[in-house]
Amino acid sequence: MNKNPKTEIKKVNLQEKLNLFSAHWSPKIVGELNGQFVKIAKLQGEFIMHEHANEDELFYVIQGELFIELTDSTLHLRAGEFVIIPKGTAHKPYAPQEVSVLLFEPVSTLNTGEAKNHLTQSDLERL
């Protein structure tokens, strides 16, 4: 039973939400819990090497393939796989072909971490 009458409980269809946008590297908020955002994004091409000083970051591949370059190796994630990048870890996501991902990270997480540039998204849209 929902003890908070102000909270609407509803399911989220990720594919329906992904169909609402086409921009790459522009995360959208699809949920929030315990100080964490659940985000979806479409990625293609290269991002920048960056790190998050205070936040861990989860990347879950919904469709496609994602590569995440680390300082000493490269991770290759396929649909249905996820990885948690610990805070303070330099990483650079890239995707030769479009990939759809779900991100789970603290509300305070900025997509470019400590590196602010034209790819920085600070005011995210809620879908």
Side-chain angles (χ1 to χ4, degrees):
M1 183 163 118
N2 182 10
K3 296 184 181 201
N4 185 348
K6 294 181 182 180
T7 303
E8 180 183 355
I9 299 174
K10 59 184 178 178
K11 67 180 182 177
V12 175
N13 182 303
L14 295 178
Q15 191 56 57
E16 286 176 6
K17 298 293 185 184
L18 285 163
N19 291 341
L20 296 175
F21 67 98
S22 59
H24 296 131
W25 307 107
S26 182
K28 310 295 184 201
I29 300 167
V30 294
E32 184 174 351
L33 69 155
N34 302 320
Q36 304 274 319
F37 278 146
V38 178
K39 304 174 187 175
I40 55 173
K42 292 180 180 179
L43 314 177
Q44 187 171 1
E46 298 214 7
F47 203 58
I48 59 168
M49 184 65 80
H50 68 286
E51 62 185 68
H52 305 279
N54 301 307
E55 302 102 353
D56 297 333
E57 185 174 29
L58 182 144
F59 290 84
Y60 172 78
V61 176
I62 299 167
Q63 298 169 354
E65 296 180 85
L66 176 67
F67 296 87
I68 301 178
E69 184 180 322
L70 305 171
T71 53
D72 59 353
S73 63
T74 299
L75 302 170
H76 179 193
L77 301 168
R78 294 175 179 87
E81 297 179 325
F82 76 87
V83 66
I84 298 170
I85 304 295
K87 63 184 168 190
T89 302
H91 60 288
K92 178 177 119 177
Y94 65 93
Q97 304 296 320
E98 184 175 86
V99 60
S100 299
V101 298
L102 181 137
L103 306 166
F104 187 70
E105 53 200 15
V107 170
S108 61
T109 304
L110 197 57
N111 68 325
T112 54
E114 309 301 315
K116 296 182 179 55
N117 65 20
H118 70 284
L119 294 171
T120 302
Q121 301 283 320
S122 58
D123 188 21
L124 302 182
E125 179 182 4
R126 289 179 184 263
L127 298 180

